[in-house]
Amino acid sequence: MPPLSTQPYKGTRDFFPADMRFREAMFAVMHRVVRKYGFDEIDAPIVEPIDIYLAKTSEEIVGQQIYAFVDRGERRVAIRPEMTPTVARMVAARFHETPKPIRWYSIPNVWRYEQPGKGRLREHWQLNCDIFGAASERLADLEILNLAVDLLKGYGATHTHFRVYVSHRGILNGVLGDELKLPQEKWPAVARIMDKKAKLKNDAYTAMLDAEGVTPAQQKELDLFLSEKIDYLKQKPQIEGASYIIEMLESVADLGLADFIEYDPSVVRGFDYYTGLVFEVFDAHPENRRSLFGGGRYNNLVGAFGKETLNAVGFGMGDVTLEVFLRTHKLLGDQPRNVDLYIALMDDALGGHALALANKLRARGLSVEVSLGAGKLGKQFQEAEKKGIARVVIVGENEAASGVYAVKTLATGEQVALKAEEI
Ligand code: HAM
């Protein structure tokens, strides 16, 4: 039998210590920023009854990407492809006892059977921030957009690095249905073509619309809608969501976020549960013009779990796309190890003394790695250096007897003699 592969399952990652440090640094900013907005953290099982995804999520996810199986008790279950149905389930479960508005966040790993590529894997971690039951949906939407911007600012990003594109579910439906008078069954296909427009040559784009039976007159209207952007909405206030977006952008400007947030009619978002605001955050780097994360308002999902319903808005931000963004813009790089001291041992017989010294130092809040076997000092200094530890405490016979230790700073070679409580 050939040896077993050391590779993780396709589209997943092992997290070695350096990867884990980077991930923790990314997550630390998430926790810090999100908590500043009063969000409470939650978590849930990775496996859910498949039903919670069948009702309302995305056709692509349920049809092609879900990891589903029948368990030993004949239950049809799925590994979560996203967190939103789970959060809605949890809100419904504690509906009455939880003070509103509910602000919950989580950083779950989620699974989708996708073709792995840059920024796209089968397992990723996804910060989810959601607000349920706000008296003013408009204010909740604004706060979520504000938080989305603040998160990236938390990594040092500015408006030159990213842009938030907003739209409203009603707008596209209004344009395709009321303005173009396209039959409803054509909407998803036309929306997909619009979504791809930026990547298509003009001829190809037109040919695809022709193939869907979109007439030249309808295509002209569609072009106006896409190119005139906010002016188109101002001319057609009867479209559902048009005045909402116009007013939202005014509030955004009042908050000082006009440089970060703009209206983009081509924002679609592929989930069935969105009912109002939808938004997508894009990297502004010319070589990494990809979606970083997205979200929107979904007012009917909690209701699927019981009598009571609750309005909701939120977003999901994946760690894979975020890492590409942070590294491309050099906002976050490799993280150093965080061990303060290395105790070098000159004689195995002093091992007990070294361990006790390490404990004393740890009790004072330092992190300390003890050499687990005596050796040449030079070699131990090298070991400490390779491990990224800046300072070494030397434990030899004299030190053990006097309780005064040589503490060496490896980078400079500087050495001082200190008692344990002075280190
Ligand atoms: P989503 O757009 O499917 O939305 O995913 C949100 C983010 O998760 C994406 O923008 C991306 O950063 C990351 N992501 C998704 N799929 C992958 C993948 N295969 N590989 C790497 N990263 C990925 C949702 O999942 C909604 N439930 C978000 C939401 C929360 N809406 C309201 N609340």
Side-chain angles (χ1 to χ4, degrees):
M1 201 173 86
L4 297 170
S5 168
T6 58
Q7 293 304 306
Y9 166 65
K10 181 174 177 178
T12 68
R13 295 158 291 170
D14 289 326
F15 289 89
F16 290 97
D19 310 312
M20 209 59 202
R21 285 198 295 275
F22 187 87
R23 185 171 111 184
E24 284 305 307
M26 265 194 316
F27 287 6
V29 174
M30 297 177 185
H31 289 294
R32 177 167 58 75
V33 176
V34 172
R35 282 179 188 160
K36 278 204 288 189
Y37 284 70
F39 279 66
D40 289 310
E41 187 174 11
I42 56 161
D43 202 357
I46 190 169
V47 171
E48 288 274 10
I50 196 166
D51 303 357
I52 77 167
Y53 306 108
L54 295 182
K56 268 191 178 130
T57 175
S58 101
E59 164 62 31
E60 189 185 23
I61 285 186
V62 171
Q64 298 162 34
Q65 300 182 338
I66 208 159
Y67 280 84
F69 59 96
V70 177
D71 77 3
R72 288 169 200 272
E74 302 293 317
R75 296 171 198 89
R76 289 188 69 209
V77 293
I79 303 179
R80 59 189 174 200
E82 57 155 336
M83 191 65 176
T84 309
T86 300
V87 185
R89 176 177 67 69
M90 289 172 70
V91 166
R94 294 282 166 89
F95 190 90
H96 292 289
E97 54 268 57
T98 315
K100 318 290 182 303
I102 299 169
R103 290 180 176 85
W104 281 354
Y105 83 99
S106 54
I107 315 181
N109 55 336
V110 300
W111 285 75
R112 296 182 194 176
Y113 193 79
E114 297 217 45
Q115 202 44 46
K118 194 174 181 194
R120 182 171 292 220
L121 293 175
R122 291 188 173 171
E123 183 191 37
H124 72 277
W125 272 254
Q126 195 190 83
L127 169 69
N128 276 255
C129 300
D130 294 274
I131 302 177
F132 294 84
S136 160
E137 295 186 11
R138 214 179 58 80
L139 271 183
D141 289 359
L142 201 54
E143 171 140 280
I144 277 289
L145 290 174
N146 195 14
L147 170 59
V149 170
D150 233 9
L151 265 167
L152 293 184
K153 280 165 105 180
Y155 296 99
T158 68
H159 69 276
T160 58
H161 296 114
F162 70 95
R163 190 60 42 98
V164 183
Y165 297 105
V166 301
S167 187
H168 188 287
R169 256 297 147 87
I171 293 178
L172 192 59
N173 297 348
V175 170
L176 297 182
D178 301 334
E179 303 300 318
L180 271 65
K181 306 258 186 289
L182 277 175
Q184 195 164 350
E185 66 270 16
K186 297 270 183 204
W187 297 0
V190 174
R192 267 196 301 279
I193 299 170
M194 287 167 56
D195 200 29
K196 287 198 204 121
K197 185 172 190 244
K199 292 179 209 143
L200 291 171
K201 292 220 161 66
N202 252 342
D203 293 353
Y205 173 70
T206 309
M208 287 173 84
L209 289 177
D210 289 343
E212 289 300 328
V214 183
T215 67
Q218 288 169 325
Q219 292 189 24
K220 206 169 153 216
E221 186 71 19
L222 203 55
D223 282 346
L224 283 181
F225 165 61
L226 290 175
S227 61
E228 293 193 353
K229 301 194 171 176
I230 201 79
D231 291 332
Y232 185 90
L233 297 187
K234 285 181 180 160
Q235 287 156 30
K236 312 238 179 200
Q238 72 279 11
I239 294 176
E240 189 205 336
S243 55
Y244 167 88
I245 285 292
I246 293 166
E247 283 162 29
M248 174 57 73
L249 290 182
E250 284 165 10
S251 312
V252 158
D254 290 344
L255 262 181
L257 298 176
D259 284 345
F260 292 94
I261 300 175
E262 64 183 83
Y263 165 63
D264 185 338
S266 64
V267 172
V268 177
R269 301 279 304 150
F271 291 93
D272 301 336
Y273 49 63
Y274 291 125
T275 54
L277 170 79
V278 280
F279 67 96
E280 196 87 39
V281 184
F282 272 80
D283 191 334
H285 194 281
E287 268 143 52
N288 187 41
R289 277 199 157 277
R290 61 179 64 236
S291 167
L292 281 173
F293 63 100
R297 171 159 288 285
Y298 52 103
N299 284 351
N300 304 327
L301 203 51
V302 174
F305 294 92
K307 293 193 292 286
E308 318 271 10
T309 191
L310 208 53
N311 68 66
V313 62
F315 61 80
M317 176 165 93
D319 67 327
V320 185
T321 44
L322 180 65
E323 175 165 357
V324 174
F325 172 77
L326 296 174
R327 289 197 187 270
T328 307
H329 294 286
K330 303 205 168 21
L331 294 168
L332 194 69
D334 293 340
Q335 300 293 305
R337 294 186 77 225
N338 243 337
V339 179
D340 300 310
L341 291 168
Y342 186 85
I343 298 189
L345 196 55
M346 293 177 72
D347 182 343
D348 276 342
L350 301 170
H353 184 93
L355 291 179
L357 172 64
N359 279 347
K360 261 191 220 160
L361 297 171
R362 288 176 188 136
R364 291 187 23 227
L366 294 166
S367 59
V368 184
E369 233 179 279
V370 185
S371 158
L372 297 178
K376 288 212 177 76
L377 268 188
K379 216 171 144 214
Q380 295 193 57
F381 291 163
Q382 275 174 12
E383 264 163 37
E385 210 150 23
K386 268 194 241 158
K387 285 166 168 277
I389 306 173
R391 290 186 177 82
V392 178
V393 182
I394 300 164
V395 173
E397 225 166 283
N398 293 342
E399 285 83 359
S402 66
V404 177
Y405 305 90
V407 181
K408 189 182 178 78
T409 303
L410 293 172
T412 60
E414 183 198 350
Q415 196 161 310
V416 287
L418 297 171
K419 289 187 192 147
E421 56 276 17
E422 295 167 340
I423 295 177

